[in-house]
Amino acid sequence: MLNHLPILQVIVPLLGAPACLILGRAKLAWVFALLVSTAAFLISCQLLSEVYAQGPLSYELGGWAAPWGIEYRIDLLNGWLLFIVSLSSTVSLVAAQTSISNEIPGEKQLFFYVAWLLCLAGLLGILATGDAFNVFVFLEVSSLSTYTLISLGKQRQALWSAFRYLIMGTIGATFILIGIGFMYMMTGTLNMADLSERLPAASSSYTVFAAYAFVVVGIGLKLAMFPLHFWLPNAYTFAPSIVTAFLAASSTKVAIYLLIRFTYSVFDSDLRSAGLPLPEILIALGMIAVFAGSTVAIYQSNIKRAIAYSSVGQIGYMIVGLGIGGLLGLQATLLHLFNHALMKAALFLSLAAMAFRLGSTQLKDLYGLGQRMPITAFSFVVGGLSLIGVPLTVGFISKWYLVSAAVADGRWPLALLVVLGSLLAIAYIWRVVEAMYFKPSEEGSPKGEAPLMMLLPLWVLIAANLYFGIDTRIPLAITADAARSLLEVVQ
Amino acid sequence: MSLIFSHYNYWVVIALMMIGFFVVIAQGNLVKKLVGLNIFQTSVFILYISVGKVSGGSAPILSDSVTAYSNPLPHVLILTAIVVGIATTALGLALVIRIKKAYGTVEEPEIQQQDHSC
Amino acid sequence: MATAIGIVLSRDLLAVVMLTGIYGFLSASFFVLMDAVDVAFTEAAVGSGISPLLMLLTIALVGRYEAVPAANKALPALILVVITGALLIMGTLDMPAFGDANAPAHTHVAPRYIEVSGEEIGIPNIVTSVLASYRGFDTFGEVLVIFTAGVGVLSLLTLRPLPANPSVDGAHGHRVLRIVSKILIPPILIFALYVQFHGDYGPGGGFQAGVIFAAAIILYTMFFGVDLARRVVSSSVLRILAATGALLYGSVGVVSMLNGGNFLDYSVLAESATAGQHIGIIVIELGVGITVAAVMMLIFYCFVSQVRPAPEGEK
């Protein structure tokens, strides 16, 4: 069975979803979904260690060799992301049952878990596949289930956010479809490895250039890359709390992965060096995102929304890393993918715990929370420190590598700007700390800690934030190798 | 001149695509947005199918009397894409119905106004 | 083309939907011209069948006329559209000419399907071979997309429980129509089965069959009322069927894994590879058909149950 691991990674949750619907009872569905997600997580660990030891794995679906059939191809890059996504799904699912019990009406909770598993399977499917069109199919599985998950939010704005996301997401997916069509026209193949061999012959054509442009814009929409980010803050704010934790930790990461995959493994380097000053564009967009996202975050009265805007900024850092390129730049982005997943999952889970007790994440409702929910409040502080990039947290590691990459590339002003960007993060985290610890709470406001099932995953994440901020061997080794192998493909 | 003759098919498709795209982003009515999205997607399908056409070829169903077939692969891809399209439309329309119930309107400007005032 | 422009200009949503149906039908005709018979079949069913139907139901709920649009968005939208269009046109400049048999798309991967699928899979319809076997995993994904949409719609639009006395509506009282429909529905169901199992030889297959099957039931609801239909085929049965179809498809893959092949490798299912392919394709097409029919009907039930005025005592 071990040689089937690449496909099991995806079909376990994929088949788990319809099975979950048959179960019919919400509580049972939760246990089942948690089991399935845990299985996916264990498979991803095994895959990652295998790929790290032996190099890329290939799996031919239906027994047809690529490019005639669809190939699954796991290398360090997507092995790393499979690990991140299934980890964040599993950790947030632990808290899901408690959290949604007072956010989603009982008869809809069953659909919630089915949609969750579909979303997980879709994201894993995008990551594992080595076929460009298969990416589109699984992109839609994950997108449709994401719209469903967001629309289950309590307030009516959730519906409107989901609809807007549906429109933007479908435009994005259609753009990607156009790009894939153009590539197919010029090469006759859909397999990524095959594409990368055959595209260079046509790389000077306008068609390939347009294909790349459409793929990048399409992914940019999914990624909420500045200036295509307008759907994200609302979607994250009004989705059920636990969904936000999962999506923030996984779905934008998958989009970043696609961008890296198409840029490095599919299109060849001529295209990037020829036409446009792509690195400069990416760095500029990334930095604008950092400053715009963080600045808007400072003025939000709803903290969930503030952290959502901060995601726009954090995505900016990843784009900057890609723009700098080279071994260090790529490694910085790959590291931040993992680290950002850890801190955002922790922050949004902590907000989910507050929402559970307070029914709100408005700043004014958090006054005096340091006394009322000491454990939850403190976890938010640690997560916030990590977001800022204080030493001994994962956030510091990300920033350190990003700054070193910028310096090594001779971009001193950029390094300075990255540090400046962190100062903005201090501003919006400080507002929350001030409210929680230095403002008196109102009379009769709710008191008491969140249930254990929420605190447990939350503190696992907080511990991970600290542990991987101190002992960085594992992520560093994997990301360094992954970045190296990406650059080798290019040469 | 030959460029025009050999590519006009693609250009008509692009014109259709852009009409659909325009409807999606410019129209305020949510149902119409979805209609626009439909046109946009269908035109992309037409683009793919045009790619698959081989002059003098016939439908890709094996038969002894036929020597040249059109390319079956784009057909397969578009079959999948059509299904994805209708799935999106159905979900979108369901959202529209819920939005109507929650906001009492399906016009984008009015919805945004309501969200800002509260 | 004119249809599309009509859609932009008209402010009457009913007309818009009708035009969309025509547009879908025209696209289907175009696909026939382009030799894509399977695609045409599907587009006819979806573009001028299901999707206008759902839109009509939606309009019945949200109102027929749209407000006068604010002009301020038109200009930026136009600029964006022109830029995108220009990029697309630029992309086409270096494309192989339309219909050129030597284009890369026709010389690299596709020839193998045309040349050897007859031997490897053993069925004449190449589109079915590619769809169900070579790229069978895409189709599995597609079934899951439909399933996802079904789950999404179910979670958004709650089905009202059936009233004790099924209400009389639609053309229920119209005897001629009832008899006509009784005559019509069985052949449609048989046709659906034909399409389901004939997909190996001609255009057709699980998806189209599922849609036609659902159409027959929808026709039934129009004449006998949705409550009665829900008694014949209840929504909880449909929910289980929708999941079963997807699981059936997946189980074929799992069985082939247990028999020593890769996921969805049908060749290991029987003594000879082609016999295995045959079995595999029939079963997965059945899975597709079941899920599609069940989800389509569920979605239809959900939409209809929103349209009808709520019984008293309910908001």
Side-chain angles (χ1 to χ4, degrees), chain B residues 6-7 9 11 18-19 29 32 38 46 51 53 55 57 60-62 70-71 75 79-80 83 98 101 107-108, chain C residues 7-8 10 30 35 42 55 66-67 73 92 95 97-99 105-106 110 124 126 142 146 156 201 207 306:
Chain B
S6 60
H7 288 76
N9 205 313
W11 294 345
M18 289 310 108
I19 291 175
N29 185 290
K32 214 161 170 188
N38 244 330
I46 298 179
V51 176
K53 172 71 181 172
S55 302
I61 295 175
L62 292 174
S70 279
N71 189 343
H75 301 182
L79 277 173
T80 307
V83 177
R98 284 289 304 277
K101 284 193 175 161
E107 301 289 333
E108 185 176 1
Chain C
I7 293 174
V8 184
S10 174
F30 177 80
D35 303 333
T42 313
M55 284 178 180
E66 74 172 312
K73 275 182 87 179
T92 61
M95 265 178 204
F98 174 71
H106 307 314
I126 308 174
E142 164 195 328
I146 277 286
L156 282 167
Y201 305 98
F207 182 79
Q306 300 295 311

Side-chain angles (χ1 to χ4, degrees), chain B residues 3 5-29 31-36 38-40 42-43 45-47 49-63 67 69-98 100-101 106-110 112, chain C residues 1 4-5 7-11 13 16 20 23 27 30-31 33-39 42-43 46 50-51 54-55 58-59 61-63 65-67 69 73-74 77-78 80-81 84-85 88-89 92-101 105-106 109-110 113-114 117-118 123-127 130-131 135 138-139 142 145-146 149 152-153 155-157 201-203 207-208 296 299 303 306:
Chain B
L3 186 73
F5 273 119
S6 60
H7 288 76
Y8 81 99
N9 205 313
Y10 296 139
W11 294 345
V12 173
V13 175
I14 290 172
L16 283 173
M17 236 189 257
M18 289 310 108
I19 291 175
F21 192 36
F22 178 77
V23 174
V24 181
I25 46 186
Q27 296 282 340
N29 185 290
V31 178
K32 214 161 170 188
K33 265 182 192 292
L34 286 174
V35 171
N38 244 330
I39 298 177
F40 184 39
T42 311
S43 337
F45 303 161
I46 298 179
L47 179 76
I49 299 296
S50 310
V51 176
K53 172 71 181 172
V54 174
S55 302
S58 72
I61 295 175
L62 292 174
S63 148
T67 49
Y69 298 98
S70 279
N71 189 343
L73 188 52
H75 301 182
V76 174
L77 305 182
I78 290 319
L79 277 173
T80 307
I82 289 178
V83 177
V84 169
I86 180 69
T88 314
T89 309
L91 194 63
L93 288 173
L95 274 169
V96 170
I97 294 178
R98 284 289 304 277
K100 169 78 179 180
K101 284 193 175 161
V106 288
E107 301 289 333
E108 185 176 1
E110 291 172 28
Q112 278 174 336
Chain C
M1 182 87 184
I5 295 173
I7 293 174
V8 184
L9 295 180
S10 174
R11 224 171 286 301
L13 287 173
V16 168
T20 317
Y23 184 70
S27 322
F30 177 80
F31 291 150
L33 285 180
M34 295 287 112
D35 303 333
V37 279
D38 279 277
V39 180
T42 313
E43 176 65 28
V46 168
I50 300 280
S51 99
L54 293 180
M55 284 178 180
T58 312
I59 291 177
L61 273 164
V62 301
Y65 295 96
E66 74 172 312
K73 275 182 87 179
L78 200 63
L80 197 61
V81 166
T84 321
L88 277 168
I89 300 267
T92 61
L93 291 181
D94 282 337
M95 265 178 204
F98 174 71
D100 180 3
H106 307 314
V109 172
Y113 297 141
I114 295 174
S117 78
I123 57 174
N125 187 347
I126 308 174
V127 172
V130 180
L131 183 89
R135 298 188 66 88
D138 268 352
T139 311
E142 164 195 328
V145 169
I146 277 286
V153 172
S155 82
L156 282 167
L157 309 176
Y201 305 98
F207 182 79
Q208 293 92 331
M296 291 294 162
I299 292 179
F303 273 75
Q306 300 295 311

Side-chain angles (χ1 to χ4, degrees), chain A residues 1 4 7-8 11 14-15 18 21-22 59-64 67-70 72 108 110-111 114 118 131 133-134 137-138 141 144-145 148 151 159 175 178 182 184-190 194 198 205-207 209-210 213-214, chain C residues 84 87-88 90-96 104-105 108-110 112-113 120-121 133-135 137-138 140-142 144-145 147-149 151-152 154-156 158 239-240 243-244 246-247 250-251 254 257-258 261-266 277:
Chain A
M1 241 17 206
H4 290 304
I7 186 66
L8 283 176
I11 57 167
L14 203 56
L15 290 175
L21 185 65
I22 292 182
Y59 187 88
E60 290 162 356
L61 283 154
W64 301 112
W68 296 282
I70 295 170
Y72 262 23
K108 292 192 175 174
L110 175 67
F111 302 125
V114 178
L118 286 167
D131 187 280
F133 190 79
N134 202 237
V137 175
F138 278 82
V141 173
L144 288 180
S145 46
T148 307
S151 72
L159 296 169
F175 270 30
I178 295 173
F182 277 11
Y184 176 71
M185 252 179 235
M186 299 312 282
T187 61
T189 184
L190 293 164
D194 203 26
R198 298 177 64 92
S205 71
Y206 286 126
T207 310
F209 175 75
F214 274 99
Chain C
T84 321
L87 192 60
L88 277 168
M90 191 183 90
T92 61
L93 291 181
D94 282 337
M95 265 178 204
H108 182 43
V109 172
R112 159 155 173 174
Y113 297 141
E120 286 183 338
I121 316 279
S133 189
Y134 292 106
R135 298 188 66 88
F137 193 64
D138 268 352
F140 186 42
E142 164 195 328
L144 265 301
V145 169
F147 178 75
T148 312
V151 171
L154 268 178
S155 82
L156 282 167
T158 330
R239 223 164 67 181
I240 290 175
T244 314
L247 286 176
S251 65
V254 175
M257 264 159 70
L258 295 177
N262 277 356
F263 187 69
L264 293 179
D265 183 354
Y266 316 132
Q277 290 289 342

Side-chain angles (χ1 to χ4, degrees), chain C:
Chain C
M1 182 87 184
T3 332
I5 295 173
I7 293 174
V8 184
L9 295 180
S10 174
R11 224 171 286 301
D12 180 350
L13 287 173
L14 187 64
V16 168
V17 171
M18 289 305 164
L19 286 172
T20 317
I22 296 173
Y23 184 70
F25 191 72
L26 288 176
S27 322
S29 326
F30 177 80
F31 291 150
V32 175
L33 285 180
M34 295 287 112
D35 303 333
V37 279
D38 279 277
V39 180
F41 198 163
T42 313
E43 176 65 28
V46 168
S48 50
I50 300 280
S51 99
L53 175 70
L54 293 180
M55 284 178 180
L56 282 178
L57 288 171
T58 312
I59 291 177
L61 273 164
V62 301
R64 183 173 161 183
Y65 295 96
E66 74 172 312
V68 182
N72 57 0
K73 275 182 87 179
L75 191 65
L78 200 63
I79 295 171
L80 197 61
V81 166
V82 169
I83 294 175
T84 321
L87 192 60
L88 277 168
I89 300 267
M90 191 183 90
T92 61
L93 291 181
D94 282 337
M95 265 178 204
F98 174 71
D100 180 3
N102 294 318
H106 307 314
T107 52
H108 182 43
V109 172
R112 159 155 173 174
Y113 297 141
I114 295 174
E115 282 153 21
V116 298
S117 78
E119 288 163 41
E120 286 183 338
I121 316 279
I123 57 174
N125 187 347
I126 308 174
V127 172
T128 305
S129 299
V130 180
L131 183 89
S133 189
Y134 292 106
R135 298 188 66 88
F137 193 64
D138 268 352
T139 311
F140 186 42
E142 164 195 328
V143 174
L144 265 301
V145 169
I146 277 286
F147 178 75
T148 312
V151 171
V153 172
L154 268 178
S155 82
L156 282 167
L157 309 176
T158 330
L159 271 172
R160 243 193 304 275
L162 277 177
N165 308 313
S167 60
V168 176
D169 62 355
H172 187 262
H174 205 300
R175 182 176 284 170
V176 178
L177 281 181
R178 278 176 68 186
I179 294 172
V180 168
S181 73
K182 274 192 176 154
I183 297 171
L184 268 178
I185 289 172
I188 297 182
L189 291 178
I190 292 173
F191 181 59
L193 289 177
Y194 171 79
V195 171
Q196 170 81 48
F197 293 106
H198 193 67
D200 299 358
Y201 305 98
F207 182 79
Q208 293 92 331
V211 171
I212 296 172
F213 194 88
I217 306 289
I218 289 170
L219 195 62
Y220 182 86
T221 65
M222 283 179 180
F223 292 124
F224 297 95
V226 74
D227 289 343
L228 212 60
R230 276 177 63 185
R231 264 161 216 273
V232 178
V233 191
S234 87
S235 60
S236 49
V237 168
L238 283 180
R239 223 164 67 181
I240 290 175
L241 277 179
T244 314
L247 286 176
L248 187 65
Y249 199 138
S251 65
V252 175
V254 175
V255 169
S256 43
M257 264 159 70
L258 295 177
N259 281 359
N262 277 356
F263 187 69
L264 293 179
D265 183 354
Y266 316 132
S267 304
V268 295
L269 292 178
E271 297 290 307
S272 76
T274 45
Q277 290 289 342
H278 223 93
I279 297 173
I281 290 175
I282 286 180
V283 180
I284 63 130
E285 289 276 17
L286 197 63
V288 176
I290 293 174
T291 297
V292 168
V295 169
M296 291 294 162
M297 281 154 65
L298 268 180
I299 292 179
F300 180 74
Y301 283 178
C302 286
F303 273 75
V304 170
S305 96
Q306 300 295 311
V307 173
R308 296 178 50 231
E312 281 170 49
E314 221 181 307
K315 254 205 306 189

Side-chain angles (χ1 to χ4, degrees), chain A residues 446-459:
Chain A
K447 227 178 137 158
E449 264 312 326
L452 183 67
M453 285 310 267
M454 297 192 85
L455 290 180
L456 199 69
L458 175 56
W459 276 92

